[in-house]
Amino acid sequence: MLGFLRTMVGKSGMVKPSCLVRPVAVTRITGRYLAHQESLPKLPVPPLKQTCDRYLAVLEPIVEEDELQHTRRLLEEFQTGGVGERLQKGLERRARKMENWLSDWWLKVAYLDYRMPVVVHSSPGVVLPRMEFHDRQGQMRFAAKMISGVLNFKTMIDNETLPVEHLGGQALCMHQYYQVLSSCRIPGTKSDSIVNYSQGRRPPSHITVVHNFQFFVLDVYNRPKTWAKAYSTLIKDRTNKESVRAIQKSIITVCLDAPMPRASEEQYRSRAAVQMLHGGGSRWNSGNRWFDKTIQFIIGEDGSCGVIYEHAPAEGPPIIKLIDHVVEYMKQSEMVRTPMVPLPMPRKLRFNITPEIKNNIEKAKQNLNIMVQDLDVRVIVFPHFGKNVPKSHKMSPDAFIQIALQLAYYRMYKVCCATYESASLRMFRLGRTDTIRSASIDSAKFVKAMDNSAIQNMEKVALFEKAVRGHRTYTDMAIRGQAIDRHLLGLKLTAIEDLTSLPEIFMDTSYAKALHYNLSTSQVPAKTDCVMCFGPVVPDGYGVCYNPMDEHINFAVSAFNSCEDTNASRMAQTLEEALVDLRDLLEQTPKAKL
Ligand code: COA
């Protein structure tokens, strides 16, 4: 069956794309990547007082008055007693010495030291539109085209011709693109690590394919193998380590899934989301994954397709850019191929399963099945409007959606909660993310006013506009490296590295509340009509990811079934209502009267 693939994978770079990511030049530009990276500014360390003041403002809507007063006192001591200043100086010294004072720490703290399973708790999935094939043959053809699309994208990475991205007119760090192919997470007892084989002397030329829980190596480049190489392969002992290494080294993994339980048209996307996030459990396709692999494309027999990626090396946007490119590439009906030279046959990867390994697999199956049972995901296509409506009211669509989320949460729980929205720090060299705090003093004022019949619509609109503007201002501050969260983390880690006692501000209940994100959210925009999805980050929270298109918005909302207080479908529905109500509020309140 897999042999079919080898006849379908053409060489890369052979189509004439119309709207693909276009290389800046067709040939290789050696050194372009490094030159670009070096031209980027370094991530700044924000002023201490600015962060302390902004931290207090952030706490206001989410902690009690006495907690706020207590934290205010702690912050004063922190700033005036010399501890804060000493940590700030330490952090500034680190920033002068390193390319990015945060990125190594962040990789460790947010990802590699994280001891929960990456499945559901860290790795996002992406649901693509359902494709039009319904059988094994269609699945194979699609897989072959998709692999070809990935290799086409890889050419731009290898040749350093990938166009530089921009945000707010500023060139962005492109480092993450160079980290996601041919890489994998490696487990460790205390901390994991990431390997990337693309820069080695002999970069990999194979992908791994997994079908029926069996892994195969598939060479995707037609490179003549010398007898010496074949001989050394021949005499190698195929141990488990080698099989694992083959998976780790592979450019990507392609998971050819068995059919999942049938779902109605309405339920399809939600069912596909769990297929992407965890595979559906040991009965279905969870065994058809290598969850540490950075990028796994998933293709079911029933037309379902998507991606799961291990989060440590990159955020969603570069992954989505790659997906957009692959999807556009596959739309090209005329794939002009050079004469087909057959690729080597796929090799099945062998594993020697000892009783101890079997036992471990059984335990892993049980754990995974518990997580599968616990995760509730609802994917919705919000049909009423997309970016068009906020834009027509001269509002940032992202801020509009975030305030709608605040309203939805408030309507369900009658409180505001700590809310995380990812902000890109890629304007800076090796930049990852900071947090946009969507629950603000202004958003709290607005959500409390919205359903208060004693308040006039004109006043509600004014409060809404202020909350939206405030959100956009926070976003601008965050993407320019001036948000509070990574700075506070940096101060805390400096204290830990200095082996001094941890300042009280980090042991305060306000700090714990500020980091308990009942709403963990992210916008991952795509040209493809898809949506990324991820699990909640706290047991009683929601994960909300969205792709705002021009005239509709795709949302993926997740929650845990084990928490009685949360419900993904209810949150999704409340969010839909909130969005519609906000539009109606704006449209039913004539501008002239404002
Ligand atoms: N009036 C009219 N139009 C407006 C507007 C206004 N006041 N404000 C914004 N717009 C427009 C923008 O120009 C943009 O137009 P486009 O559709 O032509 O591109 C569009 O609305 C979207 O802007 P906005 O909704 O404000 O969002 P953004 O694109 O600036 O993105 C973030 C905001 C926070 C998502 C982005 O800065 C970011 O950091 N992204 C990274 C997310 C990430 O890393 N996630 C990780 C997931 S794992």
Side-chain angles (χ1 to χ4, degrees):
M1 178 198 64
L2 283 156
F4 182 71
L5 282 177
R6 57 198 280 276
T7 62
M8 293 298 293
V9 181
K11 280 192 179 179
S12 54
M14 287 174 292
V15 291
K16 290 204 174 68
S18 61
C19 48
L20 307 174
V21 176
R22 285 170 187 278
V24 290
V26 227
T27 46
R28 189 178 175 86
I29 313 180
T30 309
R32 174 175 172 265
Y33 164 66
L34 270 184
H36 166 69
Q37 290 299 109
E38 278 164 16
S39 73
L40 293 169
K42 285 171 85 174
L43 179 68
V45 177
L48 185 63
K49 183 169 183 324
Q50 172 183 297
T51 292
C52 291
D53 292 349
R54 287 178 175 171
Y55 176 44
L56 268 183
V58 152
L59 290 178
E60 204 171 312
I62 56 171
V63 302
E64 304 299 328
E65 186 50 38
D66 57 334
E67 291 172 330
L68 192 66
Q69 292 312 335
H70 181 66
T71 307
R72 183 170 284 131
R73 274 197 304 281
L74 294 183
L75 280 170
E76 269 160 24
E77 280 167 29
F78 182 67
Q79 289 178 86
T80 53
V83 179
E85 210 167 296
R86 188 169 47 72
L87 295 178
Q88 175 78 1
K89 288 223 163 76
L91 201 52
E92 286 167 357
R93 259 196 310 278
R94 180 183 163 90
R96 277 194 295 276
K97 279 193 287 193
M98 302 189 70
E99 272 199 284
N100 183 313
W101 63 262
L102 174 64
S103 54
D104 286 4
W105 270 344
W106 182 246
L107 179 66
K108 239 173 107 46
V109 175
Y111 301 107
L112 301 178
D113 288 353
Y114 190 58
R115 297 292 85 192
M116 295 287 277
V118 293
V119 192
V120 172
H121 297 286
S122 174
S123 299
V126 181
V127 185
L128 291 167
R130 190 181 206 145
M131 300 295 158
E132 276 171 13
F133 55 85
H134 304 284
D135 57 12
R136 180 73 55 85
Q137 178 87 349
Q139 181 186 27
M140 290 296 135
R141 283 185 193 284
F142 184 86
K145 263 191 166 179
M146 188 223 75
I147 295 163
S148 190
V150 173
L151 297 180
N152 184 267
F153 194 84
K154 183 174 180 293
T155 311
M156 285 188 280
I157 295 174
D158 293 345
N159 292 349
E160 305 186 39
T161 53
L162 194 65
V164 169
E165 288 177 293
H166 290 81
L167 181 65
Q170 299 258 14
L172 296 183
C173 173
M174 299 298 285
H175 178 73
Q176 294 179 31
Y177 284 99
Y178 291 78
Q179 301 305 307
V180 293
L181 297 176
S182 314
S183 64
C184 194
R185 184 174 178 130
I186 312 285
T189 39
K190 291 210 174 108
S191 181
D192 296 353
S193 54
I194 292 284
V195 279
N196 185 295
Y197 291 96
S198 58
Q199 302 302 318
R201 273 199 302 132
R202 283 172 50 194
S205 57
H206 68 280
I207 63 162
T208 34
V209 177
V210 49
H211 181 61
N212 265 346
F213 319 151
Q214 310 280 324
F215 285 84
F216 298 82
V217 159
L218 176 70
D219 278 320
V220 285
Y221 291 106
N222 228 321
R223 290 183 183 143
K225 288 192 181 182
T226 62
W227 166 234
K229 197 173 167 202
Y231 178 73
S232 78
T233 311
L234 200 65
I235 58 169
K236 245 185 214 159
D237 184 11
R238 292 185 177 187
T239 59
N240 292 348
K241 194 175 167 193
E242 284 166 0
S243 293
V244 167
R245 177 62 69 92
I247 297 168
Q248 292 166 344
K249 277 186 89 165
S250 61
I251 300 161
I252 51 164
T253 293
V254 174
C255 309
L256 299 175
D257 273 12
M260 293 281 288
R262 283 196 173 279
S264 65
E265 217 35 57
E266 202 222 326
Q267 287 293 319
Y268 167 73
R269 282 179 185 243
S270 302
R271 200 226 58 198
V274 295
Q275 181 181 359
M276 302 314 147
L277 277 173
H278 54 52
S282 59
R283 260 189 75 199
W284 305 100
N285 286 299
S286 298
N288 231 31
R289 308 279 184 273
W290 191 267
F291 282 114
D292 284 339
K293 185 68 197 155
T294 306
I295 299 188
Q296 302 189 86
F297 279 83
I298 298 163
I299 305 167
E301 261 181 64
D302 54 359
S304 56
C305 67
V307 166
I308 178 164
Y309 84 93
E310 200 288 302
H311 208 326
E315 266 65 63
I319 306 293
I320 285 288
K321 230 348 166 309
L322 165 64
I323 293 173
D324 276 344
H325 181 88
V326 171
V327 169
E328 280 304 318
Y329 179 93
M330 289 193 302
K331 283 184 196 157
Q332 312 294 310
S333 51
E334 285 176 43
M335 296 177 81
V336 185
R337 291 200 183 84
T338 50
M340 195 75 76
V341 186
L343 294 165
M345 283 294 284
R347 257 186 310 122
K348 184 171 174 180
L349 294 172
R350 306 269 164 203
F351 289 91
N352 296 321
I353 307 296
T354 61
E356 194 186 353
I357 297 174
K358 181 143 184 33
N359 196 19
N360 289 338
I361 292 174
E362 285 308 316
K363 280 191 198 143
K365 273 161 82 174
Q366 280 172 19
N367 286 342
L368 188 101
N369 289 339
I370 291 169
M371 289 194 294
V372 165
Q373 286 301 315
D374 199 18
L375 189 71
D376 178 18
V377 182
R378 182 94 177 94
V379 173
I380 53 163
V381 178
F382 175 75
H384 305 285
F385 58 89
K387 290 188 282 187
N388 54 348
V389 163
K391 280 185 184 179
S392 71
H393 292 278
K394 306 218 172 346
M395 290 178 163
S396 146
D398 186 70
F400 188 108
I401 294 167
Q402 284 290 329
I403 302 302
L405 266 162
Q406 289 300 306
L407 180 60
Y409 192 90
Y410 187 78
R411 282 179 169 173
M412 282 176 75
Y413 299 100
K414 299 286 167 274
V415 286
C416 301
C417 69
T419 307
Y420 182 110
E421 183 192 357
S422 317
S424 176
L425 285 178
R426 284 177 55 215
M427 278 187 196
F428 304 100
R429 204 181 307 167
L430 303 184
R432 296 290 305 256
T433 56
D434 206 325
T435 311
I436 303 167
R437 294 267 177 181
S438 309
S440 64
I441 296 172
D442 291 333
S443 73
K445 276 190 190 148
F446 166 67
V447 297
K448 286 174 191 163
M450 178 67 185
D451 295 330
N452 184 342
S453 53
I455 298 180
Q456 298 283 312
N457 275 3
M458 270 166 52
E459 193 181 338
K460 289 179 188 174
V461 170
L463 290 171
F464 178 42
E465 287 181 334
K466 191 159 184 230
V468 165
R469 271 199 309 277
H471 187 86
R472 188 61 234 183
T473 304
Y474 202 113
T475 300
D476 287 333
M477 176 183 99
I479 61 177
R480 285 178 172 74
Q482 299 295 323
I484 61 167
D485 279 273
R486 303 301 181 265
H487 187 202
L488 288 172
L489 176 72
L491 294 167
K492 182 179 161 188
L493 293 176
T494 305
I496 292 170
E497 282 198 354
D498 287 357
L499 298 177
T500 47
S501 60
L502 200 59
E504 277 192 67
I505 57 164
F506 300 117
M507 295 183 286
D508 181 24
T509 47
S510 295
Y511 191 60
K513 278 193 176 179
L515 294 183
H516 189 93
Y517 295 111
N518 290 93
L519 278 176
S520 168
T521 75
S522 189
Q523 177 188 154
V524 183
K527 290 205 170 68
T528 309
D529 192 8
C530 65
V531 66
M532 192 168 266
C533 43
F534 46 74
V537 297
V538 293
D540 55 344
Y542 292 96
V544 182
C545 194
Y546 49 96
N547 173 14
M549 311 287 287
D550 285 338
E551 295 186 0
H552 69 275
I553 309 169
N554 297 329
F555 284 100
V557 180
S558 64
F560 290 118
N561 288 318
S562 53
C563 176
E564 280 190 355
D565 297 334
T566 54
N567 181 318
S569 298
R570 231 185 104 214
M571 172 52 86
Q573 197 191 330
T574 315
L575 175 60
E576 285 204 57
E577 286 161 11
L579 285 162
V580 169
D581 290 352
L582 291 177
R583 180 200 58 188
D584 292 349
L585 174 72
L586 291 176
E587 292 184 355
Q588 288 161 16
T589 313
K591 276 252 173 286
K593 292 191 192 162
L594 292 178

